[in-house]
Amino acid sequence: MMMYDQLINLPLFMGLGVSEMTEIVTQAHFDFRKYKEGEMIVSHGDACNRLIFVFRGLVGVDGWADDYGYEVSETLRVPVMLEPEALFGLRQRFTHDYRAAEPCSTVAISKDEVRILSDRYDIIRLNLLNAVATKAQRRAALLWRATPQDLEHRIIRWFTDRCLHPAGKKVFHIKMTRLAAELNDSRLDISKALNRLQDLGYLRLTRGIITIEEIEASPLG
């Protein structure tokens, strides 16, 4: 019953009835694990050969530019499914580090089990397809938004485009010269714009680090 209660609220199993869920619990293999605060759940570059759900706690996420020239750290609320799009396709490896920002509980399902469950239950197959398709559609839509005209809005757009979730606290480890190069502007203009955003309470500047407590709360409308 405890396993049933933990699984029924996960995105993959939404919409299943009691009899179907009971059948899955008795037949499928689920790998339940607990992580202490600070422990790594999965690292970028690891093979994605299982579907991982975090159903309790708070998840810290770290991502990098391809050349490791800057880093973005954020937190995700649970329940969350970690990179379901990496389970199949061209590059079947995790692209971020996921760690326990506080004690976390996870459950993992192997790729073979996912295939079996998807074949057996239409709802599971549709839930997985919807999760992957929704993420792909959201990322594709980003390319077609109008480009902000002023530098402050361009900076905010640059920040939000590099986050997995467009809300909550974000920490960018990036030098001013690199941000200027990313936005094709001068370091002086970038510095002035960042300081204006700091005066408005949107972010906090320290050496090589930009902290945003609530990235969705733009002070510029």
Side-chain angles (χ1 to χ4, degrees):
M1 183 58 67
M2 184 180 297
M3 183 186 294
Y4 175 89
D5 291 340
Q6 291 169 336
L7 294 175
I8 195 65
N9 293 318
L10 297 180
L12 191 66
F13 302 113
M14 297 294 288
L16 285 172
V18 175
S19 60
E20 294 169 316
M21 199 66 233
T22 302
E23 184 179 78
I24 290 170
V25 167
T26 57
Q27 294 182 1
H29 174 71
F30 298 96
D31 181 16
F32 285 88
R33 298 189 183 186
K34 293 184 177 181
Y35 295 86
K36 298 178 182 178
E37 183 176 345
E39 281 190 309
M40 193 68 70
I41 299 172
V42 69
S43 300
H44 78 289
D46 286 352
C48 184
N49 51 20
R50 62 203 187 281
L51 204 53
I52 302 175
F53 301 88
V54 186
F55 61 87
R56 184 177 294 117
L58 191 64
V59 185
V61 187
D62 301 310
W64 297 264
D66 282 347
D67 62 357
Y68 296 95
Y70 61 86
E71 178 184 348
V72 184
S73 299
E74 55 187 310
T75 54
L76 302 179
R77 295 288 175 183
V78 299
V80 61
M81 185 163 43
L82 305 185
E83 299 189 29
E85 71 278 6
L87 195 62
F88 302 99
L90 181 63
R91 189 175 186 275
Q92 298 175 26
R93 294 188 178 275
F94 289 98
T95 61
H96 291 68
D97 278 355
Y98 297 89
R99 50 188 163 72
E102 62 184 37
C104 285
S105 297
T106 70
V107 58
I109 311 171
S110 71
K111 180 184 288 189
D112 288 340
E113 288 278 10
V114 171
R115 282 198 292 257
I116 292 170
L117 292 174
S118 296
D119 287 342
R120 190 172 296 169
Y121 302 97
D122 289 341
I123 292 177
I124 290 179
R125 182 168 62 253
L126 290 173
N127 285 341
L128 183 59
L129 286 172
N130 281 334
V132 175
T134 298
K135 189 167 185 177
Q137 290 167 6
R138 285 175 176 171
R139 297 305 298 181
L142 297 179
L143 301 174
W144 297 100
R145 294 177 300 171
T147 302
Q149 297 303 305
D150 63 86
L151 184 54
E152 285 85 357
H153 279 97
R154 285 170 54 207
I155 289 174
I156 293 173
R157 173 71 62 80
W158 190 90
F159 287 148
T160 56
D161 284 353
R162 279 149 186 82
C163 297
L164 294 182
H165 183 62
K169 182 178 180 178
K170 318 293 177 184
V171 180
F172 291 82
H173 300 262
I174 186 170
K175 294 182 178 179
M176 202 84 70
T177 51
R178 177 58 184 262
L179 185 57
E182 290 286 325
L183 290 164
N184 194 30
D185 213 309
S186 71
R187 184 191 182 285
L188 179 60
D189 287 343
I190 293 293
S191 177
K192 289 179 179 179
L194 287 174
N195 277 281
R196 170 170 160 71
L197 289 171
Q198 180 171 241
D199 292 340
L200 292 171
Y202 181 66
L203 52 79
R204 185 172 69 257
L205 299 172
T206 52
R207 188 174 181 83
I209 300 175
I210 301 170
T211 303
I212 304 173
E213 293 296 335
E214 296 180 348
I215 199 166
E216 71 278 18
S218 171
L220 303 177

